Amino acid sequence: MNIIYCNQSSNPEVPLRAFQNALPHAKIRQWQAGDNAPADYALVWKPPVEMLAGRDDLKAIFNLGAGVDAIIKMVDQLPKQVPIIRLEDAGMGEQMADYVCHAVLHYFRRFDLFARQAQHAHWQSIAPLSKKEFTVGVLGMGTLGQSIAASLLQLKFPVIGWSNSAKQIDEIQCYSGADELPKFLAESKVIVCILPLTEQTSGILNRHTLAQLPRGAYVINVARGAHIVEQDLLELVRNGHIAGATLDVVQTEPLPGNHPFWQEPKITITPHVAALTLWDESAVQIAEKIALLEQGLPVTGVIDCVKGY
């Protein structure tokens, strides 16, 4: 079995070792420009088009992450019959849930206000909030969204969810479609964006939708920067409608030093670290799926290129 690997944003030593351990009988090589030698599978993250275009010999392309927006952009140039398979969790769900729970608790326990007080040597208690009135709305109820929601439920926060298509999940009021988005937003004290990035979801958090949140709501984005219209968010933070935002992703990464988000004390920025790919877990998951494909059996995580996720 021949496998080609390309991830231009990561040192290849650690992931290649993980994949070789999980697939000991495979020949795994790092793809180089001009490499047209036969391959059965491709392991990629943001690959150049020329790596995959015309590769009818591939049995599947594995996207080395949960987000598939980068590879979807080139899908018209890829072989139509070759499935593209995304990572499902592979240790990212727990990381993402930890990140979101920390951010929710940060706002719920008023640590954002205490931090601003401390900058002025101001010592003053603040009345606690009620969890019953601190509903967390999760935008995107896929694998990662459900993991986040489950962790929030363990902390006894009320949780509601919204997705493009209808879902039924125990203990969670689920909304779906454009018609139910306003009701979802109106009930959310905090919104957590974990949506896939598609033409329909790009800019979904804008002046119009963010204004439908109750005054004093909070925004947490762990999906893609393009989900938020940044100037709209900034204006609503400055006028007090949005009490605070925690953004792990932004439109331009790294965030430029002169971007106004850096100077806004109510906006917290982290450098796209909410969930990093865990190579050992990812390699095992991919090896298991390759074993199923070799037996002619179906696998989960196949991208619907029409839906974009």
Side-chain angles (χ1 to χ4, degrees):
M1 181 188 300
N2 293 295
I3 298 175
I4 47 177
Y5 169 90
C6 182
N7 179 357
Q8 300 179 80
S9 63
S10 174
N11 184 322
E13 183 178 348
V14 173
L16 283 175
R17 185 188 308 122
F19 286 118
Q20 197 64 73
N21 289 339
L23 294 156
H25 303 298
K27 294 180 179 179
I28 305 174
R29 67 181 187 271
Q30 187 172 3
W31 182 84
Q32 303 290 339
D35 178 356
N36 295 312
D40 298 290
Y41 298 97
L43 313 175
V44 303
W45 179 252
K46 298 183 178 179
V49 172
E50 58 266 29
M51 177 189 180
L52 301 174
R55 295 298 306 240
D56 295 316
D57 55 335
L58 293 173
K59 299 176 184 178
I61 298 166
F62 287 91
N63 186 68
L64 300 176
V68 299
D69 45 292
I71 200 165
I72 284 292
K73 290 178 181 177
M74 64 173 73
V75 73
D76 289 341
Q77 298 169 273
L78 303 184
K80 297 292 186 291
Q81 78 281 9
V82 178
I84 304 171
I85 304 169
R86 58 180 165 79
L87 284 182
E88 297 175 284
D89 198 335
M92 289 184 283
E94 183 176 357
Q95 294 180 74
M96 196 77 78
D98 288 346
Y99 182 101
V100 170
C101 287
H102 174 274
V104 170
L105 286 168
H106 181 79
Y107 293 128
F108 175 70
R109 289 303 307 269
R110 320 305 288 272
F111 288 125
D112 56 329
L113 302 183
F114 292 133
R116 291 201 285 275
Q117 285 185 177
Q119 292 177 345
H120 303 285
H122 185 58
W123 177 288
Q124 181 180 341
S125 64
I126 301 173
L129 300 172
S130 167
K131 283 188 179 178
K132 292 180 181 180
E133 298 174 358
F134 211 81
T135 298
V136 183
V138 179
L139 270 168
M141 293 302 292
T143 301
L144 294 177
Q146 291 187 41
S147 178
I148 290 169
S151 293
L152 290 165
L153 285 172
Q154 288 184 340
L155 292 172
K156 299 183 179 179
F157 285 102
V159 179
I160 60 176
W162 182 90
S163 52
N164 183 53
S165 56
K167 295 183 182 295
Q168 290 186 333
I169 302 171
D170 290 346
E171 300 184 73
I172 297 174
Q173 173 66 53
C174 291
Y175 298 93
S176 63
D179 291 344
E180 295 186 349
L181 183 59
K183 183 172 176 58
F184 164 84
L185 293 168
E187 293 182 7
S188 299
K189 181 66 175 179
V190 186
I191 54 167
V192 178
C193 182
I194 185 62
L195 287 166
L197 183 62
T198 66
E199 290 183 6
Q200 290 71 37
T201 64
S202 180
I204 191 171
L205 297 178
N206 52 51
R207 182 180 288 103
H208 174 68
T209 52
L210 291 171
Q212 295 175 55
L213 292 166
R215 186 170 183 83
Y218 300 91
V219 174
I220 300 168
N221 189 12
V222 290
R224 288 290 184 266
H227 285 119
I228 293 179
V229 179
E230 293 184 345
Q231 186 58 38
D232 291 356
L233 173 64
L234 189 63
E235 290 176 8
L236 288 167
V237 167
R238 287 175 171 171
N239 71 25
H241 188 82
I242 301 298
T246 296
L247 308 177
D248 186 53
V249 288
V250 287
Q251 289 270 7
T252 302
E253 297 181 0
L255 186 65
N258 62 353
H259 196 287
F261 279 176
W262 289 120
Q263 283 72 50
E264 174 48 61
K266 296 179 181 179
I267 295 179
T268 299
I269 300 293
T270 55
H272 206 145
V273 294
L276 302 176
T277 300
L278 301 178
W279 292 115
D280 288 340
E281 289 85 344
S282 300
V284 168
Q285 182 183 125
I286 288 173
E288 291 173 348
K289 292 189 177 185
I290 286 177
L292 291 172
L293 291 170
E294 289 294 300
Q295 297 174 64
L297 298 173
V299 298
T300 57
V302 178
I303 297 169
D304 183 327
C305 294
V306 175
K307 291 182 177 179
Y309 56 89

